[in-house]
Every structure is written in structure tokens, then in C-alpha cells.
């Protein structure tokens, strides 16, 4: 029998009880982050002729956020399926994005107010993921 290679594991991390609920919450928060990001990108596209809404900075930021949300969902799903490497990447990506969002929100004048509000919502969703993937329930599940 061949041993798993690379990112594969021979036991699922998702587990049962609290662990399964926590993984569902992580994936749910990641999907919510993706939804908010895609809606914001769609609004930017629909209002592309309004220079107060669709600034160049807003376009760039929204595209980057939508792509990072796709990566976050993929990492959350792979982590829940048992990939320790995906979990490490999820921990790193979400923490870095929270810091980036704090910067976006706090720098005056670079981004429109609506984008900063949307980023605050994304930041709360990502902070939830950060807290869960670094919390005791998933730390215990991964150590087994």
C-alpha cells in the first residue's frame, strides 16, 4: 500500500462534535467572506462610471480581495478535509489579510468610505476564522 504524499493525510481532521461544528463555522465564514467580496466587486463593476465608487484603488483592492477570498475558501475546505499544510496556509493568509484590512480602513483618503465599510465586514469574518483556526478545538484536533 502506498503512503500518502505531500499534502495528503490518512485521517480526516474534521472529526465529530465540537470539531465538526468548528470546521463548518470556518468554512461558512470563508464562504461569507467570498460572498461579500464578490458582491462588492459586482457593485464596483455596475457603478464603474461613478468616480466616487469605482476608483482605481477600489478596483485593484476588490479584485485582490475576491481572489484572496477564493483562496481562503479553498484552504478552509482542504483544512477541514485533513490537510495540515492547508491549515498552516489558512492561518497565515487570514492573519495577513486581517492586518491588511486594518491598514486599508485606517489610511484616510485612499479608499472610498463604502469600500472601507465593506472591508470592515470582511475583516470581522476573517478575524472569526483566525480565532477559530488558532483556537483550542482545532488545535486539539490537529494534534491527534
Amino acid at each position: 500500500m502506498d503512503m500518502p504524499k505531500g499534502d495528503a493525510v490518512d485521517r480526516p481532521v474534521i472529526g465529530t462534535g465540537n470539531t465538526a461544528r468548528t470546521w463548518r463555522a470556518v468554512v461558512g465564514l470563508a464562504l461569507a467572506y467570498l460572498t461579500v467580496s464578490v458582491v462588492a466587486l459586482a457593485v464596483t463593476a455596475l457603478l464603474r462610471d461613478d468616480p466616487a465608487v469605482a476608483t482605481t484603488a477600489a478596483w485593484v483592492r476588490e479584485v485582490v480581495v475576491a481572489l484572496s477570498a477564493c483562496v481562503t475558501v479553498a484552504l478552509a475546505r482542504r483544512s477541514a478535509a485533513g490537510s495540515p499544510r492547508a491549515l498552516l496556509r489558512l492561518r497565515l493568509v487570514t492573519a495577513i489579510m486581517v492586518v491588511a484590512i486594518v491598514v486599508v480602513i485606517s489610511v484616510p483618503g485612499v479608499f472610498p468610505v463604502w469600500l472601507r465599510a465593506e472591508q470592515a465586514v470582511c475583516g470581522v469574518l476573517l478575524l472569526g476564522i483566525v480565532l477559530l483556526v488558532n483556537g483550542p478545538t482545532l488545535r486539539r484536533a490537529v494534534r491527534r
Side-chain angles (χ1 to χ4, degrees):
M1 181 169 151
D2 290 329
M3 296 299 291
K5 294 182 180 176
D7 219 12
V9 293
D10 58 355
R11 60 175 169 64
V13 173
I14 200 161
T16 59
N18 285 339
T19 304
R21 278 189 293 280
T22 304
W23 279 120
R24 280 193 297 275
V26 167
V27 173
L29 287 167
L31 288 169
Y33 171 47
L34 177 60
T35 301
V36 170
S37 301
V38 169
V39 168
L41 184 58
V43 167
T44 305
L46 288 172
L47 301 174
R48 65 186 168 274
D49 295 329
D50 184 346
V53 174
T55 66
T56 301
W59 273 109
V60 171
R61 180 71 190 161
E62 290 304 331
V63 169
V64 168
V65 170
L67 291 173
S68 78
C70 292
V71 170
T72 302
V73 168
L75 290 173
R77 287 183 171 160
R78 288 182 56 217
S79 297
S83 171
R85 287 185 182 181
L87 178 57
L88 175 61
R89 290 179 183 122
L90 180 64
R91 286 175 171 157
L92 291 171
V93 166
T94 54
I96 290 166
M97 286 302 295
V98 168
V99 171
I101 287 170
V102 168
V103 170
V104 164
I105 292 171
S106 63
V107 175
V110 176
F111 296 103
V113 173
W114 73 268
L115 187 136
R116 292 193 295 182
E118 177 263 341
Q119 286 294 279
V121 171
C122 289
V124 169
L125 295 169
L126 286 170
L127 184 59
I129 296 172
V130 168
L131 294 173
L132 290 173
V133 297
N134 291 294
T137 300
L138 297 186
R139 284 201 174 273
R140 279 192 301 269
V142 173
R143 281 190 205 137
R144 286 187 207 155

